[in-house]
Amino acid sequence: MLSLFAKAQEPPSNKDTETGTVTGKVLQASNKEPVPFATIALLNEDDSTIINGVAADEKGAFVLKPIPYGSYIIRIATMGFSPYYTKIKPSSERPLWDLGTVMMQSGARTLKEVTITGQKQMFTMNKDSIVFSPDENFLPGGTGMELLEYVPGITIDAENNVTMEGKDQVKFYVDDRPISTTGMDYNSYLQNLPSFMIERIEVLKAPPDPVEAEQALVEGRTNIRYINIVTRKIQFRGYSAAFTAGVDTRRNLRGKMRYNLNLAPFQVTYFNNGEYNSDSSYLSRTYFPQTAGADTSYLEQKNFRTNYNFNHNLNGRYELKITEKEKLRGSVTLGWTGDGSDGENNSIFSDYAQKPTRTINQENKNRRNGYRAVTDWNYMKEYDVPGKKLEAGFNFVKSNGNGYGNNDYFYLMTEDTSLQRTNRRNGNWNMRSNFQFRNVLEGSKYYNLSTSIEMNGGHNEALANRKNVNDEELLFAPRLSTNYTNFNQNYAVNASFGKRSRELGYNFTSRLGYVGAQSEEDYAGNRFNNETYEIRTSMGMNYSPLKDHMVNVRFNPGIQFFNQMAVLDSMRSRVPFKYTNFSPGINLQYDYKDQQLTFTFNRNIDRPNPDQLNPFINTADTLNIRMGNPNLRPAFTKDYRLEYLIQYKSHQLKAGLEMQDAGDIISRYTSVEQVGNTIYTTSTWVNLASRKDRNAYITLNSHLFKALQNNKGAFNANISGGLRYYNTITDGGEDGKDAVSEQFAHVEGVTSHLTVWAAYRIRVFSVSVNGRYNGPRYYAQGRREGRFHSGLKGQVNLFQRKMNIAFSVENLFGSSVRNSYELTNAYEQYSNARRNVRYLSLNITYNIRKFTKLGQKGPKEFDEEGREDFGDERGGRGRR
């Protein structure tokens, strides 16, 4: 079956009127029996690259949509039959192409005799999405986070923060659902997911989840990118397994295992990850107090750490087919994670005045383990009327964890040697349900009704016991302990009405929503209650004056009522903030062939979350004690964006202008204080009075694909880069005056980013090189230097692709250095963190695949060579 990357969603605009549909039924010519699960592929008429696709059902019937208007080739193929080809040309005059009954002729060779060596294009780009579809052996031993680095425009920094084309507005989804439904955040999920579990990665302009899409529609969000991780599923009955073992010169050991079992309608997937590493890093920080006559101090620190982690994930899926058009799908996932670390920090504190240098050694030990349980159910019903559909979903996540931390160190706040033990417990739950009904009326009109409910809560407890050097026993330390609880609610009702027509279409959408967040911290005596009531509407229309032209206009007026109440410390001091916010928005989009011009304006409120408000102490890191700010106010932001895009095949060029005016901007602020001869930092959140950003940018995303030697080899290359001019003016005001330095209150310049990746693949061999550069970034307190990363990888597939051996060299040009410079009214600081990251790695993966094809008896081994195109995994891109 083909690994396809079709996107069968209804984007939140009227532009989907430009698409058509292909239907039909596949039968055997010899006996008129159905051909189940045949692959229907939509090919580009010029170069025959795959654009879209779907798999037929058990009776051979299929529906392929959406298909943008144009000329294409349809290819229908399955094992044991000769491929069938035909041309189609969906248009406004004929959007529906019914191929009727397609008779498949038996092939001349049996399944065991077929050797497939076809190479495929792994990247597909269009104006609204980028799709990366690697095969299972693309990155042996890798994780989902490492695989994500190959997607054009995506940047991952040293802390695994993900940005897209220089913007940090990125949201993650798994199989079309928000990643929160897995019980993990995107960082934890991708770090624990083996790369061979990912079928494709989609970068979209619209949320793949219909509930989120309705919200994005009425809010008029256009500056967010949505990354959808689509995991692999098995189509035929049988099983597959993969085992990976790896080692590198950074003293890392890793092992991964994946097992899939399909006993339709049941399916079981199990995978785990185990990793052990021992490495060192180096931190150098020079600190200059801005007080006349004060000392100049510096810190040099070497860190030696040993870390391990191991996790299990077991997932069971079940699909009940009530009728041909009515299905119930459910899954249950159980996960367990254990990790720990042992560290030793050797620190040297000294100063300019030649006071006695102090050497401090710190030892720490941390252990943590926990579980999570997820259940996810979806009901889908299609009616005889095309387009009429009912969907309902329910998701529940429960997780729990515990652990402890032992630290023997010089504690910075009390200036004495101490021993501290911190016991930690946490538990969280999340419940999400949604309902959506779509009906089609006469004259291409439709209406859509949906509701959503989401609730979550949890507790995080860290109880600290410590003793000084002369104490005999550990004593409870309440000021170093936390007991934090939270409860959040989100309710929404959506209704929309419209008409689908390329010539003249329209849409009206309304949303009523409530968001509430409550939190409490026992030891600090703080309580917070945030509530937002909102009414949002969206009115849009599309108009096509000529064949290749399309105009979309959308207005997004809305009103928000915001109420924030903070009750602080034992004095029960109250800090209230109440706002009524009018949040208008407008979106104009003009398309001409492969060109697109977009203008957007939005005014929105950015309210502080409970973690930013609630003061807490992180006892795990003695050099960085973070605290919240109960006095944070909401920020109001006005965004203006103008962007021009042109696309030619797999090459995309963007140019744009951005302007952002924000009041009471929420920003992280780091301060440095000196107690005796010791320096410690505090990082918190503050409201800056205002910030004005003016940006101009140009970016290029380009993918090259060339099949070589009768398609037995291929060359793939990816180039993504851009330049950005920035002009930022920040006003600290009274509350945030110390958080902004005069030097960085107004910064202006040009920064850049560039990613280059190229791979040559021939039969069972492949080699690839990559390089990534990210230019410097400025913020209100300072500057972070640019960074460069490079790598070389080679791999070979042996024993009919049952075994894969991969060798790589990372950071060919040496160690990674993270330099930064900070300047405020209180201090000036230079720092760099070094880690020896030039290393060699070796990963070996062994694959087992055995399947029983429907209608046959006994297991048949599926071990052909060159399975990049015709893998055992499910292809089609239909809605889950």
Side-chain angles (χ1 to χ4, degrees):
M1 303 298 293
L2 288 169
S3 284
L4 303 171
F5 31 78
K7 186 64 187 173
Q9 73 163 24
E10 295 172 355
S13 72
N14 296 311
K15 194 168 179 286
D16 55 4
T17 56
E18 301 180 28
T19 60
T21 303
V22 174
T23 62
K25 191 172 185 179
V26 186
L27 301 180
Q28 301 181 38
S30 58
N31 55 16
K32 304 301 187 293
E33 290 293 322
V35 179
F37 308 118
T39 301
I40 294 85
L42 181 71
L43 309 180
N44 189 309
E45 189 178 31
D46 296 330
D47 54 12
S48 297
T49 56
I50 300 172
I51 300 174
N52 200 341
V54 74
D57 61 18
E58 292 89 340
K59 296 185 178 181
F62 65 88
V63 177
L64 177 58
K65 63 178 183 179
I67 303 174
Y69 290 163
S71 298
Y72 305 96
I73 298 173
I74 290 289
R75 180 180 67 189
I76 302 177
T78 191
M79 294 297 180
F81 294 90
S82 300
Y84 170 86
Y85 294 90
T86 187
K87 288 187 178 182
I88 64 169
K89 192 175 182 179
S91 64
S92 58
E93 292 78 18
R94 187 184 176 185
L96 176 62
W97 282 67
D98 187 357
L99 302 183
T101 301
V102 178
M103 296 296 181
M104 301 291 290
Q105 301 291 333
S106 298
R109 291 176 291 181
T110 64
L111 178 66
K112 287 290 290 182
E113 296 171 342
V114 176
T115 299
I116 303 165
T117 58
Q119 301 286 341
K120 71 173 185 179
Q121 181 172 343
M122 287 183 287
F123 291 88
T124 301
M125 298 182 188
N126 58 49
K127 290 184 288 186
D128 296 319
S129 66
I130 298 174
V131 180
F132 175 34
S133 303
D135 60 79
E136 285 191 62
N137 294 320
F138 177 79
L139 197 63
T143 65
M145 185 65 76
E146 294 171 323
L147 196 63
L148 191 65
E149 295 184 357
Y150 289 89
V151 179
I154 286 182
T155 299
I156 303 175
D157 65 15
E159 286 76 34
N160 287 327
N161 297 312
V162 177
T163 60
M164 185 69 187
E165 296 178 352
K167 305 172 186 177
D168 57 3
Q169 296 288 330
V170 178
K171 288 192 174 184
F172 281 83
Y173 295 77
V174 175
D175 293 328
D176 298 346
R177 303 301 184 199
I179 203 166
S180 59
T181 59
T182 66
M184 307 171 74
D185 59 30
Y186 80 85
N187 202 325
S188 300
Y189 182 84
L190 292 176
Q191 290 284 14
N192 291 322
L193 184 69
S195 60
F196 51 54
M197 285 293 296
I198 296 179
E199 180 179 323
R200 63 184 173 274
I201 299 175
E202 302 170 336
V203 181
L204 311 169
K205 287 186 177 180
D209 177 52
V211 176
E212 298 273 351
E214 290 282 354
Q215 184 174 352
L217 179 67
V218 296
E219 293 184 3
R221 297 198 302 252
T222 58
N223 63 327
I224 299 179
R225 293 297 177 263
Y226 304 90
I227 299 177
N228 189 31
I229 309 297
V230 181
T231 57
R232 294 186 183 275
K233 293 93 180 172
I234 299 179
Q235 177 135 19
F236 296 115
R237 291 178 182 175
Y239 68 86
S240 70
F243 307 87
T244 297
V247 63
D248 64 43
T249 56
R250 288 199 307 185
R251 300 186 293 277
N252 290 341
L253 300 174
R254 64 180 62 89
K256 305 179 192 295
M257 183 262 189
R258 189 278 318 269
Y259 178 77
N260 294 103
L261 174 65
N262 192 17
L263 301 174
F266 297 96
Q267 179 179 312
V268 176
T269 300
Y270 168 79
F271 66 88
N272 63 44
N273 288 279
E275 188 167 0
Y276 171 88
N277 64 75
S278 176
D279 202 358
S280 61
S281 61
Y282 173 74
L283 170 69
S284 177
R285 187 172 68 193
T286 306
Y287 160 73
F288 302 92
Q290 295 298 293
T291 304
D295 296 333
T296 297
S297 303
Y298 68 85
L299 163 70
E300 291 184 357
Q301 180 177 345
K302 293 183 179 180
N303 306 301
F304 301 90
R305 288 187 175 89
T306 300
N307 300 283
Y308 72 88
N309 66 76
F310 197 86
N311 64 79
H312 305 261
N313 290 272
L314 176 64
N315 175 266
R317 295 185 179 95
Y318 172 74
E319 179 175 320
L320 173 63
K321 183 177 291 185
I322 304 172
T323 66
E324 288 297 323
K325 296 186 177 182
E326 190 174 7
K327 298 178 182 179
L328 176 65
R329 294 175 179 171
S331 69
V332 176
T333 302
L334 300 176
W336 181 86
T337 299
D339 59 43
S341 65
D342 297 306
E344 179 181 350
N345 301 332
N346 298 325
S347 303
I348 299 176
F349 292 91
S350 187
D351 58 63
Y352 179 10
Q354 301 298 319
K355 290 184 178 181
T357 299
R358 307 181 66 179
T359 301
I360 300 171
N361 294 326
Q362 174 186 328
E363 296 181 357
N364 58 69
K365 178 186 294 185
N366 287 280
R367 299 290 184 267
R368 184 182 63 177
N369 61 76
Y371 72 86
R372 59 188 172 87
V374 182
T375 181
D376 191 82
W377 293 87
N378 293 278
Y379 171 79
M380 292 155 286
K381 182 177 181 180
E382 295 182 349
Y383 297 85
D384 293 334
V385 178
K388 184 178 180 180
K389 184 169 57 176
L390 172 66
E391 290 186 78
F394 175 79
N395 176 273
F396 183 79
V397 178
K398 180 68 174 73
S399 61
N400 196 20
N402 59 74
Y404 69 88
N406 286 342
N407 296 279
D408 185 1
Y409 55 85
F410 179 84
Y411 194 70
L412 299 177
M413 294 183 66
T414 56
E415 293 189 280
D416 61 351
T417 302
S418 66
L419 175 64
Q420 178 173 314
R421 180 183 177 98
T422 304
N423 293 306
R424 307 183 185 96
R425 293 189 305 164
N426 65 77
N428 299 278
W429 63 273
N430 186 89
M431 189 274 291
R432 182 178 188 264
S433 64
N434 61 279
F435 169 87
Q436 186 178 44
F437 176 72
R438 186 177 187 87
N439 195 12
V440 178
L441 307 175
E442 294 182 358
S444 300
K445 297 179 182 178
Y446 67 92
Y447 68 86
N448 188 33
L449 302 175
S450 64
T451 63
S452 63
I453 300 174
E454 184 167 6
M455 294 184 289
N456 62 76
H459 74 274
N460 288 273
E461 185 180 57
L463 303 179
N465 293 273
R466 70 184 303 271
K467 70 175 183 179
N468 297 333
V469 64
N470 296 319
D471 295 338
E472 295 183 359
E473 61 179 346
L474 290 169
L475 300 176
F476 179 60
R479 73 188 185 95
L480 301 177
S481 302
T482 62
N483 185 16
Y484 175 70
T485 59
N486 65 288
F487 175 67
N488 305 308
Q489 308 169 73
N490 192 331
Y491 308 99
V493 178
N494 305 282
S496 63
F497 172 78
K499 178 181 179 181
R500 294 181 177 277
S501 172
R502 176 177 173 82
E503 289 76 17
L504 181 62
Y506 56 84
N507 174 273
F508 299 93
T509 303
S510 295
R511 176 183 175 89
L512 303 178
Y514 167 80
V515 179
Q518 299 174 345
S519 62
E520 182 175 354
E521 207 293 304
D522 288 347
Y523 293 101
N526 300 309
R527 295 182 180 180
F528 302 93
N529 184 20
N530 295 342
E531 293 182 316
T532 302
Y533 301 87
E534 61 181 12
I535 303 172
R536 290 183 177 268
T537 58
S538 174
M539 299 170 287
M541 61 171 291
N542 65 275
Y543 173 61
S544 179
L546 299 172
K547 176 182 177 181
D548 297 321
H549 299 256
M550 173 67 75
V551 179
N552 275 269
V553 182
R554 186 169 294 280
F555 299 95
N556 297 85
I559 299 177
Q560 296 170 303
F561 305 93
F562 179 81
N563 178 39
Q564 174 181 316
M565 175 62 71
V567 180
L568 309 179
D569 58 51
S570 59
M571 301 299 293
R572 320 312 291 168
S573 304
R574 293 180 176 270
V575 182
F577 294 114
K578 294 185 178 181
Y579 295 92
T580 299
N581 178 45
F582 176 62
S583 52
I586 185 173
N587 179 273
L588 302 173
Q589 182 174 297
Y590 172 68
D591 288 81
Y592 173 67
K593 293 185 177 180
D594 293 327
Q595 302 178 70
Q596 186 178 89
L597 182 65
T598 306
F599 171 77
T600 61
F601 164 75
N602 285 288
R603 183 178 190 269
N604 281 305
I605 188 173
D606 177 20
R607 64 179 193 170
N609 63 53
D611 290 338
Q612 295 172 334
L613 292 168
N614 191 76
F616 69 96
I617 297 177
N618 181 3
T619 55
D621 184 359
T622 61
L623 292 178
N624 192 3
I625 303 171
R626 302 173 176 88
M627 303 192 67
N629 182 359
N631 296 295
L632 272 186
R633 297 183 298 274
F636 294 92
T637 303
K638 293 185 290 185
D639 274 309
Y640 306 83
R641 301 176 188 273
L642 177 65
E643 182 178 88
Y644 170 75
L645 179 151
I646 182 171
Q647 179 161 329
Y648 175 72
K649 294 184 177 180
S650 294
H651 313 285
Q652 189 178 88
L653 181 68
K654 296 180 183 179
L657 301 173
E658 297 177 338
M659 184 171 69
Q660 184 183 84
D661 292 331
D664 284 331
I665 186 73
I666 299 174
S667 179
R668 180 179 288 276
Y669 168 55
T670 302
S671 63
V672 176
E673 298 182 48
Q674 188 168 0
V675 178
N677 295 326
T678 304
I679 304 165
Y680 66 91
T681 63
T682 300
S683 184
T684 186
W685 297 91
V686 298
N687 279 118
L688 306 182
S690 65
R691 177 176 295 162
K692 295 182 179 181
D693 285 306
R694 307 291 184 265
N695 297 279
Y697 63 90
I698 182 170
T699 62
L700 171 67
N701 291 325
S702 182
H703 177 66
L704 305 175
F705 172 80
K706 179 67 175 177
L708 305 173
Q709 298 184 7
N710 297 323
N711 204 31
K712 295 180 180 180
F715 173 78
N716 278 275
N718 233 17
I719 301 174
S720 176
L723 296 174
R724 176 177 289 267
Y725 163 78
Y726 57 88
N727 187 321
T728 302
I729 301 175
T730 306
D731 181 6
E734 289 298 323
D735 294 339
K737 61 181 180 180
D738 293 330
V740 179
S741 68
E742 294 182 1
Q743 179 175 336
F744 297 106
H746 185 189
V747 293
E748 182 180 24
V750 177
T751 187
S752 60
H753 71 275
L754 177 65
T755 300
V756 178
W757 170 77
Y760 175 71
R761 313 178 68 171
I762 180 68
R763 294 184 180 271
V764 297
F765 299 96
S766 68
V767 61
S768 66
V769 294
N770 68 84
R772 295 187 298 274
Y773 170 77
N774 298 301
R777 298 183 63 183
Y778 286 89
Y779 53 106
Q781 286 184 279
R783 180 177 190 262
R784 293 186 179 95
E785 299 290 345
R787 301 189 65 200
F788 177 74
H789 173 87
S790 59
L792 173 66
K793 298 181 181 181
Q795 66 180 41
V796 59
N797 295 298
L798 304 175
F799 309 116
Q800 295 180 313
R801 294 189 177 270
K802 289 183 178 180
M803 178 175 288
N804 178 279
I805 300 176
F807 176 79
S808 66
V809 183
E810 296 294 335
N811 281 306
L812 299 172
F813 299 97
S815 62
S816 174
V817 181
R818 286 179 287 160
N819 291 330
S820 64
Y821 171 71
E822 292 186 350
L823 176 64
T824 69
N825 296 331
Y827 70 96
E828 182 179 10
Q829 178 174 289
Y830 299 89
S831 64
N832 65 69
R834 293 176 178 265
R835 188 182 186 192
N836 187 14
V837 294
R838 181 197 290 130
Y839 63 96
L840 311 179
S841 67
L842 176 67
N843 291 284
I844 300 176
T845 298
Y846 186 76
N847 298 287
I848 301 173
R849 299 183 180 97
K850 287 192 177 181
F851 292 90
T852 301
K853 191 176 180 181
L854 295 179
Q856 295 181 350
K857 296 182 179 180
K860 299 295 181 181
E861 192 166 357
F862 232 38
D863 57 2
E864 301 88 16
E865 182 180 312
R867 299 173 48 83
E868 291 88 354
D869 271 349
F870 293 79
D872 55 7
E873 312 299 345
R874 183 181 300 276
R877 186 60 193 92
R879 173 70 58 195
R880 290 176 64 238

